[in-house]
Amino acid sequence: MIELINDVWKISIPDLIISVTGGAKGFKLTSKQRVAFNRGLVNATLSTHALIITGGTAQGCMQLVGEAVKENITSLDPSKRISLLGVTNWTTLLNNETLTKKNAQGYIEYEPNADQKIRGANLDQNHTHFIIVDNAVNDYGGEIEFRSQLEAKLVTSSNNNCRIVVLALGGGCLLYTSRRG
């Protein structure tokens, strides 16, 4: 995976990993809180050469992080790039079958599902990269062990003392599980 991130995606090993985890549903901020969060996250990311990692879906804190990057990226110098990596579970990803087919131009295009009554989640379109984990765990949190191992591997493969900061937002039933290992 490190080779994919470094060599294919051209994301250098960061000085800091901002690992965002927490509530996927019902996560709300006032407009003032949202502006402060957005600015703070983007400034922290840029000033520390950080990589942001979330669960990658268009829900709760993951969507909030995606929106923060999107809203602030247009005001940035084009030479400054924020990488936002989503690590999500294949089995809870809505319309995952669209990721198995190429279009006429040879590209894979993800098609979100607009039906809010279906259990599952869409990918957040503001993330720059995704790793989709299929480990036969057919429930939310199936990607947690892989994500933790990936974050640890990024730290140990670093020659520049990369660190991890966990940003826990809005709770969520899997928050304890995701950080205890």
Side-chain angles (χ1 to χ4, degrees):
M1 263 317 130
I2 302 302
E3 292 79 19
L4 170 70
I5 293 169
N6 290 147
D7 301 336
V8 178
W9 289 343
K10 305 296 185 206
I11 299 173
S12 59
I13 296 294
D15 296 331
L16 178 71
I17 296 169
I18 301 174
S19 180
V20 182
T21 189
K25 303 223 179 201
F27 186 77
K28 305 224 185 303
L29 294 176
T30 66
S31 60
K32 189 175 182 178
Q33 290 170 327
R34 183 178 294 269
V35 168
F37 174 81
N38 290 359
R39 280 192 194 135
L41 179 65
V42 170
N43 288 340
T45 302
L46 292 173
S47 67
T48 60
H49 182 248
L51 167 64
I52 306 170
I53 302 177
T54 79
T57 61
Q59 293 182 326
C61 67
M62 298 162 287
Q63 185 174 16
L64 175 71
V65 171
E67 290 168 355
V69 170
K70 177 187 174 192
E71 289 172 11
N72 287 276
I73 202 78
T74 55
S75 65
L76 295 176
D77 178 332
S79 66
K80 296 179 181 176
R81 185 178 85 172
I82 295 177
S83 295
L84 177 53
L85 172 60
V87 180
T88 194
N89 187 353
W90 173 261
T91 59
T92 56
L93 181 61
L94 293 175
N95 284 355
N96 57 14
E97 70 282 352
T98 64
L99 295 171
T100 64
K101 302 172 190 140
K102 292 182 180 179
N103 65 16
Q105 292 78 31
Y107 296 105
I108 295 173
E109 292 183 55
Y110 176 69
E111 296 291 330
N113 187 319
D115 187 351
Q116 299 295 319
K117 296 175 186 167
I118 298 175
R119 186 174 191 273
N122 289 309
L123 290 175
D124 179 69
Q125 64 184 357
N126 298 311
H127 282 63
T128 59
H129 303 82
F130 291 96
I131 296 174
I132 301 170
V133 179
D134 186 6
N135 63 356
V137 176
N138 191 15
D139 201 2
Y140 289 103
E143 75 289 350
I144 291 173
E145 183 178 341
F146 174 86
R147 178 176 162 182
S148 296
Q149 291 172 359
L150 174 66
E151 291 170 350
K153 186 69 173 166
L154 283 165
V155 169
T156 59
S157 67
S158 168
N159 292 330
N160 59 355
N161 298 319
C162 177
R163 300 286 187 247
I164 297 177
V165 171
V166 177
L167 185 56
L169 303 171
C173 63
L174 296 174
L175 181 60
Y176 174 73
T177 304
S178 70
R179 294 297 117 193
R180 70 181 168 149

